[in-house]
């Protein structure tokens, strides 16, 4: 693809809190661009991008769906992401490969909990974004309050480039602060046509917000600052150029408004994407590491560069099998070509290249720098792998996903189901980086873990419907973690015959605590130690951390350091592993062991009359209320609650509030369990 063509490409995503209208907005974009000829509706289960059966049933987006469409002379590669916190990994991996994003906000709810989560994800990858305040037709919609909330809770750089004409039932359209034109959608042609006219009403409001916009962009553009100070007129193109420059630098978030369900404002949003969000050529060269030299290297978004891409999503397709979604950062590739997985050092053949439209496919002969597509034929590569030219290897930064906080046991009903279960679990584990499968060493049960009750519910449904498995499913359990609060050292010596072989090994280790959220670190402090010995010790330590020591839960927030090791020429890997394992156990004898529990961030929105009872109920669940504040829909309560007390909370809240309160909940952190509860869990595990 020529650079002039690349400037007309937009790799974008839509991110928001659940039920803000992402999928409905996407549906309108596809309709007005001519990609689809009938608008589907989420509530009817007919939305194009929500194609999974579970999405249609629940009316929510579960998996990110990609599509490509054309608006005016631009190519739009768009990913519609989920809003529910249980599926936040879908947002994470989408944002990792996108160049820009539309942050969607409900005009009534404003900035909601998941809005903050996805905003932080976009900040982490420095994604330029524009804001769109949706649902302006709803009772209680307030554009200006929503913009204020964006500035207060998320960023200080949000600035309207439109203002609404009317609100709630009287919402008719928008005033463009750049062109000084009014756009109204009044007819019944599904929003296909609208009128453009000079501004006649809201002149005072228009002047106020246009001056605010000019004042804001003056900070980023000296020529506009000079004109603004001297009262000279600023041209449309000058304003757009300045807004684009500030947006690409993540110093400004232009905000628009509309109502997707009422078909108002979407065409102007599409125009804003073209004007203000980046093309692949606007993104700095991507940085990676050469796996051979371990030195930094860069790839420019050009066809002439060596081929490089990032695999960001794996999905199963009933027609073509395993789909590997990739973002191509440099170079070009044809179908049938060989690519190199620099992470696992394997060659893979790209049998087919597909452009995806939700679950529909279009076969391509080649893809080039800046494209997002799906490869068929990639067998062993995982999410986060870098696929590149073998003669120019590079590894890009991957994605970080949160650990599962909830698990259930699952058992096949028949021998035939056992094979289907294994196959289905393997496929779903490949697809979902926040889904884990393990076998309980004590009971032999298969344990599956995920991000929340809905996440596991959807996975079990897929197991039943997609893979035809009949299974018995246990009750949800909390994924506790083990840690220590005291540094300790331990050693162990092995000097005996094992399996007819003399084993002699002595290992000394130190275990020390790390701050919460640090995970696990292994360090080797022994110089000139052969790599195979270091790997044996490291593997044993990692395996021990996974299985835990006193309650069967993985250990976290610890550093284990190898202090010394001795062994004979006759010592095998078994001897090294046994001495290492015993030294860890000895070190932990004098380290104070603790259990940690997942703590959830909870927000409840309720009519005022139920506030007292809801606060009391949170307290009975060992929760801590952090703040209480007013929202357009009622009173909002921010709290932190242990996950173990929150199972079935939806039913309890419905009962307390006569079904009128709503809540959102997401994982926040791990905290130490109260001692009496900790002791009960340990006693149960040890059979006491």
């Amino acid at each position: 693809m020529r650079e002039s063509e690349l400037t007309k490409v937009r790799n974008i995503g839509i991110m928001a809190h659940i039920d803000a209208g992402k999928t409905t907005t996407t549906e309108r974009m596809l309709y007005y661009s001519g990609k689809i000829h009938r608008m589907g509706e989420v509530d009817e289960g007919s939305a194009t991008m929500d194609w999974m059966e579970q999405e249609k049933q629940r009316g929510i987006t579960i998996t990110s769906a990609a599509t490509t469409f054309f608006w005016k002379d631009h190519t739009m590669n768009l990913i519609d992401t989920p809003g529910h916190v249980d599926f936040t990994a879908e947002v994470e991996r989408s944002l990792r490969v996108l160049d820009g994003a539309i942050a969607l906000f409900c005009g009534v709810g404003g900035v909601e909990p998941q809005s903050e989560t996805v905003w932080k994800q976009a900040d982490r990858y420095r994604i330029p974004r524009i804001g769109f305040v949706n649902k302006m037709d709803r009772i209680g919609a307030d554009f200006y309050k929503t913009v204020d909330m964006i500035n207060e809770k998320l960023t200080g750089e949000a600035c309207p480039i439109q203002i609404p004409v009317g609100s709630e039932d009287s919402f008719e359209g928008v005033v463009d602060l750049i062109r000084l034109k009014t756009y109204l959608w009044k007819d019944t042609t599904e929003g296909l046509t609208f009128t453009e006219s000079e501004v006649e009403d809201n002149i005072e409001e228009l002047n106020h917000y246009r001056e605010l916009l000019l004042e804001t962009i003056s900070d980023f553009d000296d020529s506009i600052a000079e004109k603004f100070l001297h009262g000279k007129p600023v041209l449309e193109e000058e304003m757009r150029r300045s807004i684009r420059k500030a947006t690409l630098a993540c110093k400004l978030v232009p905000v628009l408004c509309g109502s997707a369900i009422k078909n108002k404002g979407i065409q102007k949003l599409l125009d804003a994407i073209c004007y203000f969000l980046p093309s692949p050529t606007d993104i700095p060269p991507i940085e990676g590491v050469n796996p051979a030299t371990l030195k930094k290297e860069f790839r420019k978004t050009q066809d002439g560069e060596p081929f490089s891409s990032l695999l960001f999503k794996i999905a199963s397709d009933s027609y073509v099998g395993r789909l590997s979604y990739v973002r191509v950062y440099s170079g070009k590739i044809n179908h049938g070509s060989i690519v190199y997985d620099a992470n696992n050092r394997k060659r893979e053949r790209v049998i087919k290249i597909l452009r995806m439209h939700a679950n529909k496919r279009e076969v391509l002969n080649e893809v080039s720098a800046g494209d997002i597509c799906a490869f068929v034929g990639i067998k062993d590569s995982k999410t986060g792998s870098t696929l590149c030219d073998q003669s120019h290897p590079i590894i890009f930064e991957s994605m970080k996903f949160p650990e599962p906080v909830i698990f259930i046991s699952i058992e096949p009903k028949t021998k035939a189901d056992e094979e289907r279960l294994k196959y289905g679990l393997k496929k779903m584990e490949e697809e979902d980086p926040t889904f884990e499968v393990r076998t309980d060493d004590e009971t032999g049960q298969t344990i599956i873990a995920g991000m929340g009750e809905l996440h596991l519910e959807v996975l079990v449904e897929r197991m039943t419907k997609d893979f035809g498995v009949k299974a018995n499913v246990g009750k949800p359990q909390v994924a506790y973690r083990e840690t220590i609060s005291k540094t300790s050292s331990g050693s162990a010596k092995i000097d005996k015959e094992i399996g007819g072989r003399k084993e002699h090994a002595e290992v000394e280790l130190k275990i020390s605590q790390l701050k919460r959220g640090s995970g696990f670190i292994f360090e080797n402090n022994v110089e000139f130690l052969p790599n195979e010995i270091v790997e044996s010790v490291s593997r044993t330590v990692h395996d021990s951390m996974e299985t835990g020591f006193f309650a069967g839960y993985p250990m976290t927030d610890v550093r284990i350091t190898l202090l010394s090791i001795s062994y004979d020429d006759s010592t095998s890997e078994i001897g090294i592993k046994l001495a290492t394992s015993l030294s860890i156990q000895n070190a932990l004898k004098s380290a104070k062991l603790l259990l940690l529990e997942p703590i959830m961030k909870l927000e409840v929105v309720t009519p005022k009359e139920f506030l007292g009872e809801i606060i009391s109920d949170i307290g009975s669940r060992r929760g801590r209320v952090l703040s209480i504040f007013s929202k357009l829909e009622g009173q909002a309560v921010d709290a932190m609650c242990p996950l173990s007390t929150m199972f079935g909370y939806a039913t309890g809240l419905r009962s307390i509030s006569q079904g009128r309160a709503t809540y959102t909940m997401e994982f926040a952190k791990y905290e130490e369990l109260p001692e009496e509860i900790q002791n009960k869990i340990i006693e149960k595990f040890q059979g006491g």
Side-chain angles (χ1 to χ4, degrees):
M1 190 182 294
R2 295 190 305 275
E3 188 169 336
S4 59
E5 294 173 326
L6 263 181
T7 61
K8 302 291 187 181
V9 173
R10 298 290 181 269
N11 292 321
I12 55 172
I14 303 185
M15 59 184 202
H17 185 84
I18 190 170
D19 203 33
K22 295 180 305 302
T23 302
T24 303
T25 301
T26 303
E27 202 73 11
R28 271 60 184 169
M29 288 179 171
L30 297 176
Y31 180 65
Y32 298 136
S33 68
K35 182 72 178 184
I36 59 175
H37 302 292
R38 178 184 176 276
M39 288 185 284
E41 302 295 347
V42 173
D43 293 343
E44 297 171 2
S46 58
T48 307
M49 303 299 275
D50 285 351
W51 57 270
M52 288 176 64
E53 195 59 41
Q54 291 89 342
E55 292 175 317
K56 292 178 180 179
Q57 289 172 0
R58 289 177 169 81
I60 62 170
T61 302
I62 291 171
T63 182
S64 54
T67 188
T68 299
F69 62 93
F70 304 93
W71 179 250
K72 298 185 176 174
D73 57 346
H74 287 69
T75 301
M76 305 279 191
N77 295 317
L78 182 140
I79 297 180
D80 177 28
T81 64
H84 196 286
V85 68
D86 280 15
F87 309 103
T88 190
E90 292 288 335
V91 184
E92 182 79 24
R93 57 182 171 190
S94 299
L95 289 175
R96 171 64 182 84
V97 298
L98 293 173
D99 300 329
I102 303 139
L104 211 70
F105 300 94
C106 171
V108 180
V111 176
E112 297 170 284
Q114 186 66 359
S115 308
E116 296 183 59
T117 302
V118 297
W119 195 273
K120 288 173 185 173
Q121 289 172 307
D123 280 343
R124 186 157 58 248
Y125 295 120
R126 285 193 58 77
I127 304 287
R129 66 215 81 154
I130 58 178
F132 184 73
V133 180
N134 192 28
K135 302 192 176 184
M136 285 302 302
D137 61 299
R138 290 266 303 273
I139 294 173
D142 191 327
F143 173 73
Y144 304 108
K145 185 170 182 178
T146 301
V147 174
D148 288 343
M149 288 179 75
I150 297 170
N151 279 318
E152 288 165 14
K153 291 194 169 190
L154 305 178
T155 174
E157 293 92 25
C159 188
I161 59 170
Q162 291 177 350
I163 56 173
V165 177
S167 65
E168 301 181 345
D169 287 345
S170 63
F171 176 69
E172 293 182 304
V174 299
V175 174
D176 187 328
L177 299 178
I178 300 170
R179 296 199 67 207
L180 300 177
K181 298 285 186 183
T182 298
Y183 298 96
L184 300 179
W185 285 260
K186 285 186 173 181
D187 61 21
T188 56
T189 60
E190 297 183 319
L192 280 168
T193 61
F194 53 89
T195 62
E196 176 187 316
S197 61
E198 299 297 324
V199 181
E200 296 176 357
D201 302 319
N202 304 326
I203 299 296
E204 190 175 325
E205 198 173 39
L206 164 69
N207 290 335
H208 169 74
Y209 282 100
R210 180 176 167 87
E211 190 166 310
L212 177 66
L213 176 59
L214 285 168
E215 187 179 331
T216 302
I217 61 178
S218 292
D219 293 338
F220 315 114
D221 192 312
D222 291 341
S223 64
I224 286 184
E226 189 175 339
K227 285 189 172 185
F228 179 62
L229 285 171
H230 292 91
K232 294 180 180 179
V234 181
L235 300 177
E236 279 180 39
E237 282 308 310
E238 291 177 310
M239 288 186 73
R240 285 204 187 105
R241 187 172 60 248
S242 181
I243 293 169
R244 178 178 174 78
K245 180 182 175 183
T247 303
L248 298 191
C250 294
K251 292 179 179 178
L252 179 69
V253 179
V255 184
L256 303 89
C257 62
S259 169
I261 196 72
K262 297 293 185 181
N263 311 314
K264 295 175 181 178
I266 304 302
Q267 293 95 330
K268 295 291 117 184
L269 173 61
L270 286 165
D271 288 343
I273 293 168
C274 300
Y275 288 139
F276 306 123
L277 288 183
S279 73
T281 59
D282 295 311
I283 303 302
I286 186 168
E287 179 185 311
V289 175
N290 186 315
T293 64
L294 300 182
K295 291 182 179 179
K296 285 184 183 178
E297 291 188 6
F298 296 88
R299 295 287 185 270
K300 296 177 183 176
T301 308
Q302 295 175 358
D303 289 356
E305 288 270 299
F307 175 76
S308 68
S309 65
L310 185 71
L311 195 166
F312 68 94
K313 177 181 169 74
I314 292 169
S316 296
D317 186 284
S318 54
Y319 293 97
V320 297
R322 193 181 199 249
L323 284 175
S324 300
Y325 286 78
V326 300
R327 161 68 191 265
V328 180
Y329 282 102
S330 63
K332 60 197 311 185
I333 191 172
N334 299 311
H335 68 87
S337 300
I338 299 291
V339 293
Y340 180 64
D341 183 335
N343 296 78
N344 64 18
R345 301 182 182 185
K346 284 188 175 180
R347 287 154 55 91
E348 299 267 15
R349 182 178 293 278
V350 180
I351 296 172
K352 279 185 182 178
I353 301 173
L354 304 176
R355 177 179 286 146
M356 300 301 296
H357 176 53
N359 61 333
K360 297 181 174 63
R361 300 156 297 277
E362 176 190 346
V363 179
L364 303 175
N365 291 322
E366 67 171 22
V367 283
S368 53
D371 281 331
I372 292 176
C373 63
F375 289 164
V376 177
I378 307 297
K379 295 178 180 177
D380 299 318
S381 299
K382 298 178 180 178
T383 300
S385 292
T386 302
L387 304 178
C388 57
D389 179 351
Q390 187 171 1
S391 58
H392 299 86
I394 193 168
I395 296 178
F396 296 138
E397 179 190 0
S398 188
M399 295 143 276
K400 291 178 183 171
F401 299 105
E403 290 186 7
V405 294
I406 184 173
F407 67 88
I408 55 174
S409 60
I410 184 166
E411 293 180 334
K413 288 187 175 179
T414 67
K415 189 69 177 173
D417 287 318
E418 186 176 343
E419 290 305 313
R420 285 195 289 266
L421 178 66
K422 285 180 182 176
Y423 175 78
L425 290 176
K426 182 175 180 291
K427 287 290 181 187
M428 291 197 300
E429 199 173 20
E430 283 179 356
E431 294 177 21
D432 188 344
T434 59
F435 174 57
E436 289 183 3
V437 182
R438 64 180 174 85
T439 302
D440 189 305
D441 293 334
E442 297 289 324
T443 64
Q445 283 183 314
T446 298
I447 305 295
I448 60 174
M451 296 307 299
E453 288 182 271
L454 179 61
H455 188 201
L456 289 182
E457 191 182 311
V458 168
L459 291 168
V460 169
E461 260 187 43
R462 281 198 62 199
M463 192 66 61
T464 305
K465 293 180 179 178
D466 295 359
F467 299 101
V469 177
K470 293 178 181 176
N472 298 315
V473 180
K475 291 182 179 179
Q477 304 289 320
V478 177
Y480 295 107
R481 293 288 183 267
E482 299 180 15
T483 192
I484 62 167
S485 63
K486 182 182 173 185
T487 298
S488 174
S489 297
S491 62
K493 185 176 182 179
I494 299 294
D495 195 1
K496 60 181 179 180
E497 194 172 294
I498 301 175
R501 183 170 183 163
K502 184 70 175 176
E503 300 286 355
H504 169 79
E506 188 169 359
V507 174
E508 184 182 11
L509 296 165
K510 181 174 79 172
I511 183 167
S512 50
Q513 69 267 43
L514 298 172
K515 68 178 182 179
R516 291 284 174 267
S518 300
F520 164 69
I521 297 172
F522 170 73
E523 284 183 347
N524 170 33
N525 274 9
V526 181
E527 294 183 347
F528 311 117
L529 198 61
N531 284 339
E532 60 269 21
I533 299 297
V534 176
E535 286 179 12
S536 291
V537 174
S538 176
R539 245 190 332 265
T540 306
V541 169
H542 278 83
D543 290 346
S544 298
M545 293 297 102
E546 281 298 310
T547 54
F549 289 90
F550 72 123
Y553 296 104
M555 186 160 274
T556 189
D557 301 339
V558 296
R559 175 189 281 111
I560 291 187
T561 308
L562 177 62
L563 299 177
S564 67
I565 183 170
S566 62
Y567 53 92
D568 288 344
D569 291 342
S570 62
T571 305
S572 69
E573 187 178 13
I574 293 172
I576 298 292
K577 286 187 169 185
L578 187 55
T580 301
S581 183
L582 289 172
S583 67
I584 296 171
Q585 293 176 38
N586 291 336
L588 287 169
K589 285 176 183 176
S590 53
K592 181 172 171 53
L593 288 158
L594 301 172
L595 266 184
L596 303 175
E597 65 175 337
I599 303 295
M600 311 302 285
K601 181 183 176 185
L602 173 73
E603 182 180 285
V604 182
V605 179
T606 176
K608 194 171 184 178
E609 60 262 37
F610 306 114
L611 184 61
E613 200 170 348
I614 284 169
I615 291 171
S616 176
D617 180 64
I618 289 171
S620 72
R621 296 171 184 270
R622 292 197 287 121
R624 303 189 308 275
V625 173
L626 304 178
S627 64
I628 302 168
F629 54 96
S630 295
K631 271 196 162 186
L632 293 170
E633 313 99 299
Q635 295 294 111
V637 181
D638 267 348
M640 293 292 219
C641 298
L643 174 61
S644 60
T645 67
M646 299 304 290
F647 293 133
Y649 185 63
T651 304
L653 183 64
R654 199 178 301 122
S655 175
I656 291 171
S657 67
Q658 298 173 15
R660 294 170 65 193
T662 60
Y663 80 99
T664 55
M665 187 168 63
E666 63 179 301
F667 171 72
K669 58 183 176 178
Y670 273 93
E671 281 185 1
E672 184 179 341
L673 259 174
E675 192 171 353
E676 64 273 15
I677 301 176
Q678 186 167 282
N679 291 338
K680 286 179 184 177
I681 292 171
I682 295 168
E683 284 173 17
K684 184 179 178 182
F685 176 75
Q686 295 174 350

